[in-house]
Amino acid sequence: MKRSKNAGQERLITIIVVALTVIINGIVLALLFMPQMGDASKDYTYLPKFNAILNGFTFVFLVLALIMIIRKNIVWHRNFIFAAFTSTAFFLVSYLTYHSLSESTSYGGSGMLAGIYYFILITHIVLAAVIVPLALFTLARGLQMNVPKHRKLARWTMPIWLYVSLTGVLVYLMISPYY
């Protein structure tokens, strides 16, 4: 009986994670094709700066979570992971708000800097989509105290999430002169 209960729980977690991944990544993708709903006379350029700040908080929370787990402080590790998820959730709401109200800003640089910018941007976008299910599955395994699966996933999740958070800040810094 325990095996079927565990299998049912695993199936439910998978359904939830897949559903959230499809919904989140689907909404972000849909914004590329939807007309902006914002008032053209209003300035929404404060939102990208806010997004970068939230990405910065996520990065710091993840580094602190990593330090805490290295020190075997599970309680503070969990607290910082929850803080990272919270700042990421606020980022997502702010990001979706900005991109539903305003057109995307084009990068105005050229030469080698443009190549660096687009490399960072493209890897950021691809890995941001990948991190959604990874982070959710890693969180679920941690909350279940399934340490072997949690560690196995976290070895991939942590560096990717750190990269996505840091490059979110870098993308903002590189494009901010063009807002």
Side-chain angles (χ1 to χ4, degrees):
M1 183 70 180
K2 185 178 182 184
R3 184 178 272 208
S4 65
K5 181 181 176 187
N6 193 24
Q9 187 178 26
E10 289 298 317
R11 190 174 13 252
L12 179 61
I13 289 169
T14 300
I15 289 168
I16 292 169
V17 169
V18 169
L20 285 172
T21 300
V22 169
I23 291 167
I24 292 167
N25 288 335
I27 291 171
V28 171
L29 187 61
L31 284 174
L32 291 173
F33 304 104
M34 289 176 38
Q36 280 61 46
M37 300 178 286
D39 182 346
S41 67
K42 292 189 179 175
D43 180 17
Y44 301 105
T45 57
Y46 64 92
L47 286 171
K49 181 184 283 188
F50 182 60
N51 294 342
I53 291 167
L54 290 169
N55 269 321
F57 276 122
T58 299
F59 182 83
V60 170
F61 293 145
L62 290 172
V63 168
L64 292 170
L66 185 59
I67 290 168
M68 290 299 113
I69 204 60
I70 289 169
R71 293 182 177 176
K72 305 215 184 301
N73 189 330
I74 295 167
V75 171
W76 276 101
H77 169 75
R78 185 182 310 127
N79 290 339
F80 284 122
I81 289 297
F82 286 153
F85 267 93
T86 301
S87 59
T88 295
F90 283 128
F91 161 81
L92 183 60
V93 169
S94 178
Y95 177 87
L96 294 174
T97 300
Y98 175 72
H99 286 283
S100 67
L101 297 175
S102 181
E103 290 189 25
S104 293
T105 301
S106 296
Y107 181 71
S110 61
M112 183 190 263
L113 266 168
I116 292 168
Y117 170 79
Y118 286 111
F119 174 80
I120 292 171
L121 178 65
I122 290 166
T123 57
H124 171 81
I125 291 168
V126 170
L127 292 174
V130 168
I131 200 58
V132 174
L134 273 177
L136 292 171
F137 275 121
T138 305
L139 176 67
R141 300 302 178 250
L143 291 174
Q144 292 174 311
M145 292 307 292
N146 186 338
V147 177
K149 283 187 179 181
H150 177 74
R151 278 187 185 156
K152 189 175 182 179
L153 279 172
R155 288 194 172 131
W156 289 95
T157 304
M158 183 61 83
I160 293 171
W161 200 357
L162 283 166
Y163 180 84
V164 168
S165 300
L166 182 61
T167 56
V169 175
L170 293 176
V171 165
Y172 169 75
L173 291 173
M174 292 180 81
I175 201 168
S176 62
Y178 307 105
Y179 281 111

